[in-house]
Amino acid sequence: MEIHAYEKLWLALALVLIVGFIGTITYGAAGAGIEMIDDEGGTVDPATLDQHPKFGDPGIERTGENSYDVYVVARQFVFEPGTTEPLRVPAGSTVTFHVTAADVIHGFEVVGTNANTMAIPGQVSEFTVQFEEAGEYGILCNEYCGSGHHVMEGKIVVMEQGEFDSWYEQQQAQGEAEN
């Protein structure tokens, strides 16, 4: 059987592409440090989110000297917090996000980073991000969630540590005064 020279060339190019795809997938899974989000975040009852100790009043909570937990509820068509008021985190800190949805499936993507997850009613997605420098990041819903999906966005403000500490203490004092 004789194979034409062009067929050999196309077969060789196809083989190179297949090896390239496999190499890219292997690098993405093992070499780039990309982690898939699993079910370690646990579950919550979406009907009683308002009574949940963390998601009832979502926001930021200091968990260590330079680590924070942020609780976010996605609902049509806002992130709480994030949309009406920005999420504020300190630069150089480790921030663990706990994200869930109150109504339908949403997405939670921090623009410009590889932080991206689905927000599913009843499930808590948990992932950790380090924001090294002060600045602003957008938050987008990347799962179609209804007619207002295109306006579902928010903002994360990464503040210098001293500026954040002042803001955080003010928020804590305000919360204690309201209770």
Side-chain angles (χ1 to χ4, degrees):
M1 178 172 136
E2 185 176 327
I3 300 176
H4 191 273
Y6 287 135
E7 287 179 299
K8 289 179 184 175
L9 177 65
W10 283 111
L11 286 172
L13 289 174
L15 185 61
V16 168
L17 280 174
I18 290 170
V19 170
F21 288 143
I22 291 172
T24 302
I25 291 169
T26 302
Y27 174 74
I34 297 172
E35 294 180 27
M36 300 302 290
I37 296 173
D38 56 23
D39 59 354
E40 286 183 8
T43 59
V44 293
D45 181 3
T48 60
L49 274 181
D50 294 341
Q51 300 161 5
H52 191 274
K54 302 294 184 181
F55 291 106
D57 186 22
I60 189 165
E61 178 180 305
R62 188 180 306 231
T63 57
E65 185 175 325
N66 204 18
S67 60
Y68 299 85
D69 281 351
V70 173
Y71 294 87
V72 177
V73 175
R75 63 181 79 227
Q76 290 181 324
F77 299 101
V78 295
F79 295 106
E80 297 173 348
T83 298
T84 56
E85 60 184 68
L87 271 168
R88 297 177 193 276
V89 298
S93 64
T94 302
V95 179
T96 301
F97 286 92
H98 306 269
V99 182
T100 191
D103 42 27
V104 297
I105 294 175
H106 297 277
F108 183 88
E109 177 182 355
V110 181
V111 178
T113 70
N114 63 355
N116 183 10
T117 188
M118 291 176 71
I120 301 171
Q123 304 225 344
V124 179
S125 299
E126 186 180 292
F127 60 95
T128 301
V129 178
Q130 290 185 329
F131 295 100
E132 298 299 334
E133 297 179 11
E136 291 186 4
Y137 294 86
I139 306 170
L140 291 177
C141 176
N142 55 15
E143 296 285 336
Y144 182 74
C145 56
S147 61
H149 166 73
H150 63 284
V151 298
M152 189 169 176
E153 61 183 9
K155 186 189 315 181
I156 297 175
V157 176
V158 181
M159 308 165 80
E160 294 296 335
Q161 186 70 50
E163 183 183 4
F164 175 81
D165 288 343
S166 297
W167 174 84
Y168 189 77
E169 288 173 14
Q170 182 182 15
Q171 294 298 308
Q172 294 297 314
Q174 185 178 2
E176 289 175 10
E178 290 176 1
N179 292 329

